[in-house]
Amino acid sequence: MKKLVRVSMVYMIVGLLAGIFYREFTKWNDFTGETQLSVLHTHILILGMFFFLIVLFLEKNFQLSNEKNYKKFYMIYNMGLGITLLMMIVRGSLQVLDYPESAAIAGIAGLGHIIITVGLAYFFQVLFQAVKE
């Protein structure tokens, strides 16, 4: 369970730093338009910190980690979230620097979303197995 507390805390720190980065990076570049960076910190806090705090409570009540696919869920979800967040940073930074949109970045971000979806499917499979009637 401490692993879940740690990962949640790491996402909290990264989320707060992303908010600072957004504010300072746009200020340094005199940027006032729309950018992916403006929603990065909320994505990190919700999909990272809060999600794993919820998983922590479920682990406490239902021992999710004893289920067969728990490690697959944990690894796949974090990998997908990492890819997605990295692409948000790249795309947002390029928007601030006034670079054109990139199909490659959008494609990789889409792959990150697909991986998150697979991780969520494993999560619900684990949850259904752990919750006994």
Side-chain angles (χ1 to χ4, degrees), residues 50-61:
F50 284 119
F51 179 75
F52 281 105
L53 286 175
I54 291 167
V55 173
L56 173 66
F57 289 119
L58 292 168
E59 169 66 15
K60 177 77 171 155
N61 290 317

Side-chain angles (χ1 to χ4, degrees), residues 55-98:
V55 173
L56 173 66
F57 289 119
L58 292 168
E59 169 66 15
K60 177 77 171 155
N61 290 317
F62 300 108
Q63 295 76 44
L64 300 179
S65 61
N66 293 336
E67 300 301 327
K68 180 176 123 181
N69 289 321
Y70 177 81
K71 286 184 181 179
K72 287 181 186 176
F73 142 68
Y74 186 83
M75 296 302 292
I76 292 171
Y77 181 85
N78 276 301
M79 182 174 61
L81 185 55
I83 292 168
T84 300
L85 296 175
L86 179 62
M87 289 302 102
M88 287 179 76
I89 293 168
V90 170
R91 182 172 183 221
S93 297
L94 292 175
Q95 287 170 330
V96 170
L97 298 172
D98 201 28

